[in-house]
Structures are given as structure tokens and as C-alpha cells.
Amino acid sequence: MGTKNKIDKNYLISIIEDIILNEGISGLSIRKVAKKANISIGGVQYIFGNKEAMIKAVFEKNDDDYNHQIKNLSKDTNSKYSELKAHIEYISKYNSNEELDKISKVITVLLQDKSVFEGLQDWHSSALGSIDTNTDEGKKLRLAFLFSEAMFTSMTLKYINLSKKEQNEIFEDLKTFLL
């Protein structure tokens, strides 16, 4: 097995993500990543150290991608809730998008990792805690946020099977009545 002079961390993360999507976290190993990347086991260990760091790297990559999308969607508004509204827009805009489908699958698998699960719990608690529910706007936003999260989860876990048209109509209703 030949090694490359410079190891591309992003390339390794894409291999790790692919393994996680196809085999789950239990199928992930340093040896398997090294073999698929055609590099030494030591090369993978040098970049990540261990399996937990590989999982963390995949989560951070997806989190960075998400934050980039949220920044793009919220940059034209001065609302104190611009990021939460951008989150809802992200879910509604990309509800049938192949990339969102991939992200939702990655998150579902990564939730098996305790630190990822706790991080998402903290994020949701913080998001809900940032809403002033003493106002009508805050009450509607809380409902919109929780509804969009429920839709995302239901679609991700395939609890409901909606056509793209139905999904778009539901999210348009959400925006019309709650935002």
C-alpha cells in the first residue's frame, strides 16, 4: 500500500462519512479508513488519533456546512431571531434536497455518539431558550421552530412519506401562519 506525501484531511473525512453512512459507527475503524484512502494506518492516526476524533471531525464538517448555510440565509435580516428563522428556512428550503438527506442520515448515525447527542441537546435548549415567549412573535417562533424540527425528524426517520409538493405546501403554511 503506497502512501501519499501529503494527507488530505477533507478527503479522509469524506471517506469516514461514507463508511458511517454505509456501515454505521460500528463499521468505522482506522484500518478501514486507511485502506480506502490507500494510506498507512499511521497516516490516519496522525490526522485523527482515534475513532472518536474521526466521528468528531465528521460532525464538525457537517456543522460547519450548516453554519455556512445559516449565515447565507440570515444575512439580509436584522431580526434578533434571524438565525432561528434561517434554520427554519434551511429545513423548509432544502427538505427534499439530496444534500440535506445526506446530512440527516449522518446526524442520525452520529447521534449514537454521546457527545454528539449531548451537543445537539444543548443546541436545541439554547435555541429554545433564546426565544422570548412573552411576545406573540416569540410564541409563534417557538411553534415554528418545534414544528420544523418535528418535520425534519419525521422525514429523516421516514415516519411520514410526503411528496416534494406536499412538503413545500406544509412549510409554506408554516411560514404563512407562524412567521
Side-chain angles (χ1 to χ4, degrees), residues 2-8 37-40 43 46-47:
T3 59
K4 299 177 182 178
N5 289 335
K6 184 175 180 190
I7 300 170
D8 182 348
N38 195 30
I39 63 173
S40 70
Y46 175 75
I47 299 293

Side-chain angles (χ1 to χ4, degrees), residues 65-66 68-70 72-73 86-104 152 155-156 164 167-168 171-172 175:
D65 293 346
Y66 164 81
H68 177 74
Q69 292 291 331
I70 296 305
N72 285 340
L73 290 170
H87 171 79
I88 294 166
E89 181 65 24
Y90 175 74
I91 291 173
S92 69
K93 186 174 182 182
Y94 300 104
N95 58 51
S96 294
N97 184 294
E98 185 178 309
E99 185 66 20
L100 186 65
D101 189 45
K102 181 181 131 194
I103 291 168
S104 66
F152 176 79
M155 291 185 304
T156 297
K164 181 169 175 59
Q167 291 173 35
N168 288 337
F171 279 107
E172 283 305 313
K175 290 185 251 180

Side-chain angles (χ1 to χ4, degrees), residues 100-158:
L100 186 65
D101 189 45
K102 181 181 131 194
I103 291 168
S104 66
K105 287 177 184 173
V106 169
I107 289 171
T108 301
V109 174
L110 291 179
L111 284 173
Q112 297 171 38
D113 182 85
K114 184 179 178 183
S115 66
V116 171
F117 182 78
E118 289 172 348
L120 286 173
Q121 277 184 318
D122 291 345
W123 181 86
H124 282 88
S125 293
S126 176
L128 284 170
S130 72
I131 302 170
D132 179 3
T133 56
N134 293 315
T135 67
D136 286 343
E137 177 189 21
K139 289 176 183 178
K140 288 179 180 182
L141 181 60
R142 177 176 57 185
L143 288 173
F145 175 74
L146 290 171
F147 179 81
S148 67
E149 289 298 300
M151 284 292 294
F152 176 79
T153 303
S154 295
M155 291 185 304
T156 297
L157 298 176
K158 308 293 186 215

